[in-house]
Amino acid sequence: MSGQGPGLFTIFFAAVFTGNILLTLYLGMCSFLAVSRQVRTAIGLGAAVVFVMTATSAINWLVYYYLLLPFDLDHLKYIVFIIVVAAFVQLVEMVIERVSEPLYQALGIFLPLITVNCAILGAALFMIIRHYSLAQSVVYGAGSGVGWLVAIVAMAGIRERLKNARIPRGLDGAGIALIIAGIMAMAFMGFAGMLGLN
Amino acid sequence: MVMELLISVGVVAAIAVALAVLMVIADATIGNYGEKKVTVNDDKELTVTGGLTLLTALKEQGLFIPSACGGRGSCGLCKVKVAAGGGEILATELPWLSAGERAAKVRLSCQFKVKNDLKIAVPQELLSVREYTAEVTRIVDLTRDLKEVTFALRGPATIDFKAGQYVQLEVSPYELTDEPLYRAYSVASAPSMKDRLELEIKYVPEGIATTWVHRHLAVGDIVTLNGPYGDFGLHDGDRDIIMMATGSGMAPMRSILLDMAEKGSARKVTYLFGCKERCDLFLLDEMRELEKRLPNFRFVPAISRPNAEDGWDGQTGRLTDILPQYIPNGAAIEAYLCAGSAVIKSYIAALTAIGVARERIYFDDFG
């Protein structure tokens, strides 16, 4: 629970680029591959991930340090984090459905998908492993979310252009998407030298 | 050690309970849309519980929209036109709606939630659909894989329907399904018999509803039915009639013929009934009896794979092949068909080939 470690900006930058949760850690792959055909839906899902990841990082941080650690229940964090994420997503979906029709149209239908997105659980676990403070965790959650958003929108942009490309039959679909993800991952790794991170 | 275990279980349970309570509170506050008004066909006004899906909300008020999957968005049957108050079409509805239906504000009522006052349009016949509790009073094996089940209505005690219409039978959860679902069956009994319904149900391997009926349903069981639905039935006039059916396609034909016999119809009817083998034929005696009651009715059962041991001396061959023998020229005829989709298609082709006008071919496609 210490406030030591890298500064907030560094954490954010690292989470978006050098340590992109999707392209360097390969978390949240299934929805990344499934919902990256159109830029518009990719933005919708990405925005939902940013929101849920930021909010659940804060909630899970509080649950972990004020509930699980005092009772010495570190080993229960996986199951507890998942329950918290699931309940939070449900709640947010209900609120959005009630408050804003356009927002529900854009975001609401993606929220249930996110409950089982492993990147959300991954971000919560990393913030514990790296001993981030509450502020650091929130920034890390937001950064990871934005990183995921950037990756899926870039992917969707490329795949929209691929529609006009001649792709070998055997590679069409998931095959070419995985190759592109690999190339994108290498490009993102190039950022690592910039701040002398990782 | 025991203490640690207890604390672990306790904390997880406490978190789960706290979140569950939070969800219940949210459901009652955020999820509570109060009562909403639904105007049906610019005529009838219903007060429904807001926040429910339109399908459930209407069902609560006794208006039944046909739906086979029980509201999971996987059959696409429960379409309703929402003229006002509908908002945007949801992503879960899109696969089921054609461009024309989207433009006409048709919605999938099991996905669409009632959040505002609505104006909807439904076929007028749906307004007379009711839910019935019924008791199974008789189960008869008509063939090796077809049962006739009699349901005596318990509440409401009588049903009004037209010969050729169908009802939906609710299948209770059992090993093949966790949720109740509905399947449509044509009524095989006469409309004049208002206190009972007879359905003819064929066993389909792995079929959820048919397995339930054939393996689990017993005399004395109480079931739920709703109906009547559908616009299949005899059209007025004095044209000669050709009927073609296979298997449980017998059901609506039987209802229509019984109705005609009671009303003393003198129209000329030729009924071609097809099946593979002798042992698939059923209700022969009843049809012969109807030939006596209806002056111009002829029943022609035909077997496509005759077998020497059967001792069958009647018509053989496929209905599509033997049709011209019975109706050389179909120009002045109207046709009634009941079978699966592929078979219906072949019947329609054979009928148009002998000159039956396409708009005078009426059919009930049971999939």
Side-chain angles (χ1 to χ4, degrees), chain A residues 67 71 73 75-76 80 83 87 90-91 94-95 97-98 101 104-105 109, chain B residues 8 11-12 15 19 23 26-27 30 32-33 88-91 113 115:
Chain A
L67 213 57
F71 288 103
L73 294 173
H75 55 287
L76 288 179
V80 170
I83 302 176
Q90 277 279 323
L91 211 62
M94 284 169 80
V95 172
E97 190 177 3
R98 179 76 194 232
E101 176 96 353
Y104 183 67
Q105 283 288 333
I109 51 169
Chain B
S8 302
V11 169
V12 173
I15 293 174
L19 291 173
M23 294 308 298
D27 224 13
I30 310 168
N32 183 355
Y33 290 80
E88 293 272 321
I89 293 171
L90 299 172
K113 284 186 183 165
K115 290 185 228 164

PDB file of all heavy atoms in Angstrom, chain A residues 67 71 73 75-76 80 83 87 90-91 94-95 97-98 101 104-105 109, chain B residues 8 11-12 15 19 23 26-27 30 32-33 88-91 113 115:
ATOM      1  N   LEU A  67     -10.288  -5.282   3.053  1.00  0.00           N
ATOM      2  CA  LEU A  67     -11.100  -6.443   3.419  1.00  0.00           C
ATOM      3  C   LEU A  67     -10.279  -7.723   3.390  1.00  0.00           C
ATOM      4  O   LEU A  67     -10.224  -8.484   4.352  1.00  0.00           O
ATOM      5  CB  LEU A  67     -12.271  -6.544   2.440  1.00  0.00           C
ATOM      6  CG  LEU A  67     -13.574  -7.097   3.005  1.00  0.00           C
ATOM      7  CD1 LEU A  67     -14.035  -6.270   4.191  1.00  0.00           C
ATOM      8  CD2 LEU A  67     -14.640  -7.110   1.923  1.00  0.00           C
ATOM      9  N   PHE A  71      -7.858  -9.677   6.851  1.00  0.00           N
ATOM     10  CA  PHE A  71      -8.260 -11.036   7.259  1.00  0.00           C
ATOM     11  C   PHE A  71      -7.298 -12.086   6.746  1.00  0.00           C
ATOM     12  O   PHE A  71      -7.566 -13.278   6.843  1.00  0.00           O
ATOM     13  CB  PHE A  71      -9.670 -11.352   6.751  1.00  0.00           C
ATOM     14  CG  PHE A  71     -10.755 -10.614   7.477  1.00  0.00           C
ATOM     15  CD1 PHE A  71     -11.376  -9.520   6.905  1.00  0.00           C
ATOM     16  CD2 PHE A  71     -11.143 -11.003   8.758  1.00  0.00           C
ATOM     17  CE1 PHE A  71     -12.372  -8.835   7.569  1.00  0.00           C
ATOM     18  CE2 PHE A  71     -12.142 -10.318   9.424  1.00  0.00           C
ATOM     19  CZ  PHE A  71     -12.755  -9.232   8.845  1.00  0.00           C
ATOM     20  N   LEU A  73      -6.539 -12.903   3.625  1.00  0.00           N
ATOM     21  CA  LEU A  73      -7.243 -13.720   2.629  1.00  0.00           C
ATOM     22  C   LEU A  73      -6.741 -13.438   1.215  1.00  0.00           C
ATOM     23  O   LEU A  73      -7.500 -13.453   0.263  1.00  0.00           O
ATOM     24  CB  LEU A  73      -8.743 -13.446   2.692  1.00  0.00           C
ATOM     25  CG  LEU A  73      -9.421 -13.874   3.989  1.00  0.00           C
ATOM     26  CD1 LEU A  73     -10.855 -13.418   4.010  1.00  0.00           C
ATOM     27  CD2 LEU A  73      -9.329 -15.377   4.166  1.00  0.00           C
ATOM     28  N   HIS A  75      -5.317 -15.232  -0.830  1.00  0.00           N
ATOM     29  CA  HIS A  75      -5.576 -16.304  -1.801  1.00  0.00           C
ATOM     30  C   HIS A  75      -6.987 -16.241  -2.397  1.00  0.00           C
ATOM     31  O   HIS A  75      -7.283 -16.912  -3.368  1.00  0.00           O
ATOM     32  CB  HIS A  75      -5.366 -17.666  -1.142  1.00  0.00           C
ATOM     33  CG  HIS A  75      -6.187 -17.856   0.093  1.00  0.00           C
ATOM     34  ND1 HIS A  75      -5.890 -17.206   1.279  1.00  0.00           N
ATOM     35  CD2 HIS A  75      -7.294 -18.578   0.320  1.00  0.00           C
ATOM     36  CE1 HIS A  75      -6.786 -17.545   2.184  1.00  0.00           C
ATOM     37  NE2 HIS A  75      -7.648 -18.367   1.637  1.00  0.00           N
ATOM     38  N   LEU A  76      -7.858 -15.442  -1.791  1.00  0.00           N
ATOM     39  CA  LEU A  76      -9.233 -15.381  -2.313  1.00  0.00           C
ATOM     40  C   LEU A  76      -9.423 -14.272  -3.356  1.00  0.00           C
ATOM     41  O   LEU A  76     -10.528 -14.056  -3.833  1.00  0.00           O
ATOM     42  CB  LEU A  76     -10.216 -15.150  -1.167  1.00  0.00           C
ATOM     43  CG  LEU A  76     -10.443 -16.349  -0.242  1.00  0.00           C
ATOM     44  CD1 LEU A  76     -11.407 -15.969   0.855  1.00  0.00           C
ATOM     45  CD2 LEU A  76     -10.969 -17.532  -1.028  1.00  0.00           C
ATOM     46  N   VAL A  80     -12.919 -13.126  -5.527  1.00  0.00           N
ATOM     47  CA  VAL A  80     -13.560 -11.889  -5.068  1.00  0.00           C
ATOM     48  C   VAL A  80     -13.533 -10.828  -6.169  1.00  0.00           C
ATOM     49  O   VAL A  80     -14.539 -10.170  -6.437  1.00  0.00           O
ATOM     50  CB  VAL A  80     -12.876 -11.379  -3.788  1.00  0.00           C
ATOM     51  CG1 VAL A  80     -13.376  -9.978  -3.443  1.00  0.00           C
ATOM     52  CG2 VAL A  80     -13.143 -12.328  -2.631  1.00  0.00           C
ATOM     53  N   ILE A  83     -16.211 -11.573  -8.719  1.00  0.00           N
ATOM     54  CA  ILE A  83     -17.571 -11.261  -8.254  1.00  0.00           C
ATOM     55  C   ILE A  83     -17.803  -9.752  -8.305  1.00  0.00           C
ATOM     56  O   ILE A  83     -18.851  -9.291  -8.764  1.00  0.00           O
ATOM     57  CB  ILE A  83     -17.801 -11.744  -6.801  1.00  0.00           C
ATOM     58  CG1 ILE A  83     -17.566 -13.242  -6.688  1.00  0.00           C
ATOM     59  CG2 ILE A  83     -19.215 -11.434  -6.362  1.00  0.00           C
ATOM     60  CD1 ILE A  83     -17.690 -13.743  -5.257  1.00  0.00           C
ATOM     61  N   ALA A  87     -20.701  -7.892 -10.558  1.00  0.00           N
ATOM     62  CA  ALA A  87     -21.770  -7.096  -9.954  1.00  0.00           C
ATOM     63  C   ALA A  87     -21.711  -5.661 -10.456  1.00  0.00           C
ATOM     64  O   ALA A  87     -22.740  -5.061 -10.789  1.00  0.00           O
ATOM     65  CB  ALA A  87     -21.648  -7.131  -8.432  1.00  0.00           C
ATOM     66  N   GLN A  90     -23.043  -5.361 -14.012  1.00  0.00           N
ATOM     67  CA  GLN A  90     -24.510  -5.461 -13.989  1.00  0.00           C
ATOM     68  C   GLN A  90     -25.138  -4.127 -13.617  1.00  0.00           C
ATOM     69  O   GLN A  90     -26.082  -3.659 -14.240  1.00  0.00           O
ATOM     70  CB  GLN A  90     -24.934  -6.503 -12.934  1.00  0.00           C
ATOM     71  CG  GLN A  90     -24.900  -7.918 -13.422  1.00  0.00           C
ATOM     72  CD  GLN A  90     -26.143  -8.246 -14.213  1.00  0.00           C
ATOM     73  OE1 GLN A  90     -27.227  -7.787 -13.869  1.00  0.00           O
ATOM     74  NE2 GLN A  90     -25.993  -8.993 -15.284  1.00  0.00           N
ATOM     75  N   LEU A  91     -24.583  -3.563 -12.549  1.00  0.00           N
ATOM     76  CA  LEU A  91     -25.119  -2.322 -12.012  1.00  0.00           C
ATOM     77  C   LEU A  91     -25.001  -1.185 -13.034  1.00  0.00           C
ATOM     78  O   LEU A  91     -25.959  -0.461 -13.295  1.00  0.00           O
ATOM     79  CB  LEU A  91     -24.325  -1.966 -10.749  1.00  0.00           C
ATOM     80  CG  LEU A  91     -25.062  -1.225  -9.659  1.00  0.00           C
ATOM     81  CD1 LEU A  91     -26.197  -2.071  -9.138  1.00  0.00           C
ATOM     82  CD2 LEU A  91     -24.099  -0.885  -8.524  1.00  0.00           C
ATOM     83  N   MET A  94     -27.484  -1.460 -15.791  1.00  0.00           N
ATOM     84  CA  MET A  94     -28.825  -1.017 -15.412  1.00  0.00           C
ATOM     85  C   MET A  94     -28.920   0.508 -15.407  1.00  0.00           C
ATOM     86  O   MET A  94     -29.896   1.087 -15.878  1.00  0.00           O
ATOM     87  CB  MET A  94     -29.191  -1.559 -14.025  1.00  0.00           C
ATOM     88  CG  MET A  94     -29.565  -3.020 -14.042  1.00  0.00           C
ATOM     89  SD  MET A  94     -29.680  -3.687 -12.385  1.00  0.00           S
ATOM     90  CE  MET A  94     -31.291  -3.119 -11.932  1.00  0.00           C
ATOM     91  N   VAL A  95     -27.891   1.136 -14.854  1.00  0.00           N
ATOM     92  CA  VAL A  95     -27.916   2.606 -14.774  1.00  0.00           C
ATOM     93  C   VAL A  95     -27.934   3.203 -16.179  1.00  0.00           C
ATOM     94  O   VAL A  95     -28.745   4.081 -16.491  1.00  0.00           O
ATOM     95  CB  VAL A  95     -26.693   3.132 -13.989  1.00  0.00           C
ATOM     96  CG1 VAL A  95     -26.615   4.646 -14.085  1.00  0.00           C
ATOM     97  CG2 VAL A  95     -26.782   2.687 -12.542  1.00  0.00           C
ATOM     98  N   GLU A  97     -28.883   1.858 -18.948  1.00  0.00           N
ATOM     99  CA  GLU A  97     -30.137   1.571 -19.635  1.00  0.00           C
ATOM    100  C   GLU A  97     -31.212   2.559 -19.192  1.00  0.00           C
ATOM    101  O   GLU A  97     -32.054   2.990 -19.971  1.00  0.00           O
ATOM    102  CB  GLU A  97     -30.575   0.137 -19.334  1.00  0.00           C
ATOM    103  CG  GLU A  97     -31.730  -0.299 -20.202  1.00  0.00           C
ATOM    104  CD  GLU A  97     -32.130  -1.740 -19.958  1.00  0.00           C
ATOM    105  OE1 GLU A  97     -31.540  -2.388 -19.067  1.00  0.00           O
ATOM    106  OE2 GLU A  97     -33.039  -2.210 -20.648  1.00  0.00           O
ATOM    107  N   ARG A  98     -31.147   2.934 -17.902  1.00  0.00           N
ATOM    108  CA  ARG A  98     -32.159   3.830 -17.364  1.00  0.00           C
ATOM    109  C   ARG A  98     -31.925   5.273 -17.812  1.00  0.00           C
ATOM    110  O   ARG A  98     -32.852   5.978 -18.185  1.00  0.00           O
ATOM    111  CB  ARG A  98     -32.099   3.765 -15.816  1.00  0.00           C
ATOM    112  CG  ARG A  98     -33.090   4.665 -15.126  1.00  0.00           C
ATOM    113  CD  ARG A  98     -34.435   4.032 -15.215  1.00  0.00           C
ATOM    114  NE  ARG A  98     -35.527   4.896 -14.884  1.00  0.00           N
ATOM    115  CZ  ARG A  98     -36.466   4.603 -14.001  1.00  0.00           C
ATOM    116  NH1 ARG A  98     -36.418   3.479 -13.344  1.00  0.00           N
ATOM    117  NH2 ARG A  98     -37.460   5.406 -13.787  1.00  0.00           N
ATOM    118  N   GLU A 101     -30.508   6.405 -23.430  1.00  0.00           N
ATOM    119  CA  GLU A 101     -30.769   5.467 -24.530  1.00  0.00           C
ATOM    120  C   GLU A 101     -29.594   5.408 -25.519  1.00  0.00           C
ATOM    121  O   GLU A 101     -29.117   4.327 -25.837  1.00  0.00           O
ATOM    122  CB  GLU A 101     -32.062   5.873 -25.231  1.00  0.00           C
ATOM    123  CG  GLU A 101     -32.409   5.057 -26.448  1.00  0.00           C
ATOM    124  CD  GLU A 101     -33.370   3.924 -26.130  1.00  0.00           C
ATOM    125  OE1 GLU A 101     -33.668   3.679 -24.944  1.00  0.00           O
ATOM    126  OE2 GLU A 101     -33.811   3.289 -27.061  1.00  0.00           O
ATOM    127  N   TYR A 104     -26.701   3.585 -24.026  1.00  0.00           N
ATOM    128  CA  TYR A 104     -26.992   2.156 -23.900  1.00  0.00           C
ATOM    129  C   TYR A 104     -26.802   1.468 -25.243  1.00  0.00           C
ATOM    130  O   TYR A 104     -26.260   0.372 -25.325  1.00  0.00           O
ATOM    131  CB  TYR A 104     -28.416   1.952 -23.390  1.00  0.00           C
ATOM    132  CG  TYR A 104     -28.761   0.506 -23.159  1.00  0.00           C
ATOM    133  CD1 TYR A 104     -28.121  -0.214 -22.148  1.00  0.00           C
ATOM    134  CD2 TYR A 104     -29.690  -0.154 -23.947  1.00  0.00           C
ATOM    135  CE1 TYR A 104     -28.407  -1.541 -21.930  1.00  0.00           C
ATOM    136  CE2 TYR A 104     -29.993  -1.482 -23.737  1.00  0.00           C
ATOM    137  CZ  TYR A 104     -29.349  -2.174 -22.727  1.00  0.00           C
ATOM    138  OH  TYR A 104     -29.634  -3.495 -22.522  1.00  0.00           O
ATOM    139  N   GLN A 105     -27.267   2.150 -26.302  1.00  0.00           N
ATOM    140  CA  GLN A 105     -27.092   1.604 -27.645  1.00  0.00           C
ATOM    141  C   GLN A 105     -25.614   1.424 -27.965  1.00  0.00           C
ATOM    142  O   GLN A 105     -25.211   0.429 -28.538  1.00  0.00           O
ATOM    143  CB  GLN A 105     -27.713   2.544 -28.687  1.00  0.00           C
ATOM    144  CG  GLN A 105     -29.220   2.469 -28.767  1.00  0.00           C
ATOM    145  CD  GLN A 105     -29.687   1.181 -29.398  1.00  0.00           C
ATOM    146  OE1 GLN A 105     -28.985   0.576 -30.187  1.00  0.00           O
ATOM    147  NE2 GLN A 105     -30.877   0.737 -29.037  1.00  0.00           N
ATOM    148  N   ILE A 109     -24.699  -2.868 -24.745  1.00  0.00           N
ATOM    149  CA  ILE A 109     -24.679  -4.256 -25.180  1.00  0.00           C
ATOM    150  C   ILE A 109     -23.295  -4.878 -25.028  1.00  0.00           C
ATOM    151  O   ILE A 109     -23.152  -6.084 -25.032  1.00  0.00           O
ATOM    152  CB  ILE A 109     -25.153  -4.387 -26.635  1.00  0.00           C
ATOM    153  CG1 ILE A 109     -24.380  -3.415 -27.514  1.00  0.00           C
ATOM    154  CG2 ILE A 109     -26.631  -4.116 -26.751  1.00  0.00           C
ATOM    155  CD1 ILE A 109     -24.602  -3.658 -28.979  1.00  0.00           C
TER     156      ILE A 109
ATOM    157  N   SER B   8     -12.473 -17.380   5.719  1.00  0.00           N
ATOM    158  CA  SER B   8     -12.488 -17.316   4.253  1.00  0.00           C
ATOM    159  C   SER B   8     -13.913 -17.398   3.732  1.00  0.00           C
ATOM    160  O   SER B   8     -14.374 -16.554   2.966  1.00  0.00           O
ATOM    161  CB  SER B   8     -11.699 -18.486   3.651  1.00  0.00           C
ATOM    162  OG  SER B   8     -10.396 -18.472   4.110  1.00  0.00           O
ATOM    163  N   VAL B  11     -16.029 -14.324   4.725  1.00  0.00           N
ATOM    164  CA  VAL B  11     -15.770 -13.069   4.019  1.00  0.00           C
ATOM    165  C   VAL B  11     -16.314 -13.132   2.593  1.00  0.00           C
ATOM    166  O   VAL B  11     -16.996 -12.208   2.134  1.00  0.00           O
ATOM    167  CB  VAL B  11     -14.253 -12.750   4.006  1.00  0.00           C
ATOM    168  CG1 VAL B  11     -13.953 -11.614   3.045  1.00  0.00           C
ATOM    169  CG2 VAL B  11     -13.794 -12.413   5.407  1.00  0.00           C
ATOM    170  N   VAL B  12     -16.040 -14.254   1.904  1.00  0.00           N
ATOM    171  CA  VAL B  12     -16.555 -14.372   0.533  1.00  0.00           C
ATOM    172  C   VAL B  12     -18.076 -14.306   0.539  1.00  0.00           C
ATOM    173  O   VAL B  12     -18.699 -13.599  -0.263  1.00  0.00           O
ATOM    174  CB  VAL B  12     -16.079 -15.679  -0.138  1.00  0.00           C
ATOM    175  CG1 VAL B  12     -16.762 -15.858  -1.481  1.00  0.00           C
ATOM    176  CG2 VAL B  12     -14.579 -15.637  -0.311  1.00  0.00           C
ATOM    177  N   ILE B  15     -19.223 -10.739   1.157  1.00  0.00           N
ATOM    178  CA  ILE B  15     -19.092  -9.900  -0.046  1.00  0.00           C
ATOM    179  C   ILE B  15     -20.202 -10.229  -1.036  1.00  0.00           C
ATOM    180  O   ILE B  15     -20.864  -9.339  -1.580  1.00  0.00           O
ATOM    181  CB  ILE B  15     -17.710 -10.107  -0.698  1.00  0.00           C
ATOM    182  CG1 ILE B  15     -16.613  -9.561   0.229  1.00  0.00           C
ATOM    183  CG2 ILE B  15     -17.638  -9.419  -2.056  1.00  0.00           C
ATOM    184  CD1 ILE B  15     -15.212  -9.830  -0.243  1.00  0.00           C
ATOM    185  N   LEU B  19     -23.168  -7.685  -2.242  1.00  0.00           N
ATOM    186  CA  LEU B  19     -23.391  -7.350  -3.648  1.00  0.00           C
ATOM    187  C   LEU B  19     -24.794  -7.750  -4.088  1.00  0.00           C
ATOM    188  O   LEU B  19     -25.458  -7.028  -4.840  1.00  0.00           O
ATOM    189  CB  LEU B  19     -22.345  -8.041  -4.530  1.00  0.00           C
ATOM    190  CG  LEU B  19     -20.925  -7.497  -4.371  1.00  0.00           C
ATOM    191  CD1 LEU B  19     -19.926  -8.358  -5.144  1.00  0.00           C
ATOM    192  CD2 LEU B  19     -20.851  -6.063  -4.876  1.00  0.00           C
ATOM    193  N   MET B  23     -27.702  -5.463  -5.585  1.00  0.00           N
ATOM    194  CA  MET B  23     -28.395  -5.726  -6.847  1.00  0.00           C
ATOM    195  C   MET B  23     -29.911  -5.675  -6.654  1.00  0.00           C
ATOM    196  O   MET B  23     -30.638  -5.165  -7.506  1.00  0.00           O
ATOM    197  CB  MET B  23     -28.016  -7.108  -7.410  1.00  0.00           C
ATOM    198  CG  MET B  23     -26.582  -7.271  -7.844  1.00  0.00           C
ATOM    199  SD  MET B  23     -26.001  -5.999  -8.963  1.00  0.00           S
ATOM    200  CE  MET B  23     -27.099  -6.260 -10.321  1.00  0.00           C
ATOM    201  N   ALA B  26     -30.892  -2.139  -6.381  1.00  0.00           N
ATOM    202  CA  ALA B  26     -30.809  -1.515  -7.699  1.00  0.00           C
ATOM    203  C   ALA B  26     -32.004  -1.915  -8.556  1.00  0.00           C
ATOM    204  O   ALA B  26     -32.591  -1.100  -9.265  1.00  0.00           O
ATOM    205  CB  ALA B  26     -29.511  -1.915  -8.389  1.00  0.00           C
ATOM    206  N   ASP B  27     -32.354  -3.205  -8.474  1.00  0.00           N
ATOM    207  CA  ASP B  27     -33.478  -3.714  -9.254  1.00  0.00           C
ATOM    208  C   ASP B  27     -34.765  -2.974  -8.888  1.00  0.00           C
ATOM    209  O   ASP B  27     -35.588  -2.671  -9.745  1.00  0.00           O
ATOM    210  CB  ASP B  27     -33.643  -5.211  -8.983  1.00  0.00           C
ATOM    211  CG  ASP B  27     -33.876  -5.973 -10.268  1.00  0.00           C
ATOM    212  OD1 ASP B  27     -33.656  -5.391 -11.339  1.00  0.00           O
ATOM    213  OD2 ASP B  27     -34.283  -7.143 -10.184  1.00  0.00           O
ATOM    214  N   ILE B  30     -33.371   1.523  -9.581  1.00  0.00           N
ATOM    215  CA  ILE B  30     -32.968   1.858 -10.953  1.00  0.00           C
ATOM    216  C   ILE B  30     -33.794   1.064 -11.957  1.00  0.00           C
ATOM    217  O   ILE B  30     -34.198   1.573 -12.992  1.00  0.00           O
ATOM    218  CB  ILE B  30     -31.478   1.535 -11.185  1.00  0.00           C
ATOM    219  CG1 ILE B  30     -30.618   2.139 -10.081  1.00  0.00           C
ATOM    220  CG2 ILE B  30     -31.034   2.046 -12.542  1.00  0.00           C
ATOM    221  CD1 ILE B  30     -29.206   1.620 -10.077  1.00  0.00           C
ATOM    222  N   ASN B  32     -36.741  -0.097 -11.642  1.00  0.00           N
ATOM    223  CA  ASN B  32     -38.185   0.019 -11.488  1.00  0.00           C
ATOM    224  C   ASN B  32     -38.712   1.153 -12.373  1.00  0.00           C
ATOM    225  O   ASN B  32     -38.464   2.318 -12.122  1.00  0.00           O
ATOM    226  CB  ASN B  32     -38.512   0.287 -10.014  1.00  0.00           C
ATOM    227  CG  ASN B  32     -40.002   0.337  -9.774  1.00  0.00           C
ATOM    228  OD1 ASN B  32     -40.799   0.263 -10.715  1.00  0.00           O
ATOM    229  ND2 ASN B  32     -40.377   0.468  -8.522  1.00  0.00           N
ATOM    230  N   TYR B  33     -39.423   0.792 -13.402  1.00  0.00           N
ATOM    231  CA  TYR B  33     -39.912   1.793 -14.335  1.00  0.00           C
ATOM    232  C   TYR B  33     -41.377   2.158 -14.082  1.00  0.00           C
ATOM    233  O   TYR B  33     -41.990   2.873 -14.846  1.00  0.00           O
ATOM    234  CB  TYR B  33     -39.757   1.304 -15.772  1.00  0.00           C
ATOM    235  CG  TYR B  33     -38.321   1.243 -16.230  1.00  0.00           C
ATOM    236  CD1 TYR B  33     -37.499   0.180 -15.877  1.00  0.00           C
ATOM    237  CD2 TYR B  33     -37.781   2.262 -16.998  1.00  0.00           C
ATOM    238  CE1 TYR B  33     -36.174   0.124 -16.280  1.00  0.00           C
ATOM    239  CE2 TYR B  33     -36.467   2.217 -17.407  1.00  0.00           C
ATOM    240  CZ  TYR B  33     -35.661   1.152 -17.051  1.00  0.00           C
ATOM    241  OH  TYR B  33     -34.355   1.105 -17.460  1.00  0.00           O
ATOM    242  N   GLU B  88     -34.657   3.016 -30.362  1.00  0.00           N
ATOM    243  CA  GLU B  88     -33.779   2.341 -31.315  1.00  0.00           C
ATOM    244  C   GLU B  88     -33.889   0.822 -31.227  1.00  0.00           C
ATOM    245  O   GLU B  88     -34.122   0.272 -30.159  1.00  0.00           O
ATOM    246  CB  GLU B  88     -32.324   2.736 -31.030  1.00  0.00           C
ATOM    247  CG  GLU B  88     -32.001   4.171 -31.289  1.00  0.00           C
ATOM    248  CD  GLU B  88     -31.569   4.404 -32.721  1.00  0.00           C
ATOM    249  OE1 GLU B  88     -30.846   3.550 -33.260  1.00  0.00           O
ATOM    250  OE2 GLU B  88     -31.969   5.419 -33.301  1.00  0.00           O
ATOM    251  N   ILE B  89     -33.671   0.159 -32.361  1.00  0.00           N
ATOM    252  CA  ILE B  89     -33.657  -1.301 -32.392  1.00  0.00           C
ATOM    253  C   ILE B  89     -32.366  -1.804 -31.736  1.00  0.00           C
ATOM    254  O   ILE B  89     -31.292  -1.268 -31.977  1.00  0.00           O
ATOM    255  CB  ILE B  89     -33.758  -1.801 -33.838  1.00  0.00           C
ATOM    256  CG1 ILE B  89     -35.137  -1.439 -34.390  1.00  0.00           C
ATOM    257  CG2 ILE B  89     -33.531  -3.298 -33.929  1.00  0.00           C
ATOM    258  CD1 ILE B  89     -35.287  -1.683 -35.869  1.00  0.00           C
ATOM    259  N   LEU B  90     -32.475  -2.821 -30.882  1.00  0.00           N
ATOM    260  CA  LEU B  90     -31.298  -3.332 -30.169  1.00  0.00           C
ATOM    261  C   LEU B  90     -30.500  -4.292 -31.053  1.00  0.00           C
ATOM    262  O   LEU B  90     -31.045  -4.910 -31.962  1.00  0.00           O
ATOM    263  CB  LEU B  90     -31.743  -4.080 -28.910  1.00  0.00           C
ATOM    264  CG  LEU B  90     -32.513  -3.266 -27.882  1.00  0.00           C
ATOM    265  CD1 LEU B  90     -33.062  -4.170 -26.793  1.00  0.00           C
ATOM    266  CD2 LEU B  90     -31.603  -2.214 -27.271  1.00  0.00           C
ATOM    267  N   ALA B  91     -29.227  -4.406 -30.733  1.00  0.00           N
ATOM    268  CA  ALA B  91     -28.350  -5.277 -31.513  1.00  0.00           C
ATOM    269  C   ALA B  91     -28.832  -6.729 -31.474  1.00  0.00           C
ATOM    270  O   ALA B  91     -28.661  -7.480 -32.419  1.00  0.00           O
ATOM    271  CB  ALA B  91     -26.924  -5.195 -30.981  1.00  0.00           C
ATOM    272  N   LYS B 113     -37.550  -3.853 -24.140  1.00  0.00           N
ATOM    273  CA  LYS B 113     -38.115  -3.626 -22.812  1.00  0.00           C
ATOM    274  C   LYS B 113     -39.063  -2.438 -22.803  1.00  0.00           C
ATOM    275  O   LYS B 113     -38.824  -1.439 -23.485  1.00  0.00           O
ATOM    276  CB  LYS B 113     -36.990  -3.378 -21.807  1.00  0.00           C
ATOM    277  CG  LYS B 113     -36.279  -4.641 -21.415  1.00  0.00           C
ATOM    278  CD  LYS B 113     -35.277  -4.360 -20.323  1.00  0.00           C
ATOM    279  CE  LYS B 113     -34.496  -5.619 -19.978  1.00  0.00           C
ATOM    280  NZ  LYS B 113     -33.308  -5.278 -19.203  1.00  0.00           N
ATOM    281  N   LYS B 115     -40.134   0.746 -21.548  1.00  0.00           N
ATOM    282  CA  LYS B 115     -39.628   1.821 -20.699  1.00  0.00           C
ATOM    283  C   LYS B 115     -40.497   3.073 -20.817  1.00  0.00           C
ATOM    284  O   LYS B 115     -40.372   3.991 -20.022  1.00  0.00           O
ATOM    285  CB  LYS B 115     -38.198   2.170 -21.111  1.00  0.00           C
ATOM    286  CG  LYS B 115     -37.221   1.068 -20.763  1.00  0.00           C
ATOM    287  CD  LYS B 115     -35.807   1.496 -21.059  1.00  0.00           C
ATOM    288  CE  LYS B 115     -35.078   0.430 -21.822  1.00  0.00           C
ATOM    289  NZ  LYS B 115     -33.871   0.927 -22.449  1.00  0.00           N
TER     290      LYS B 115
END
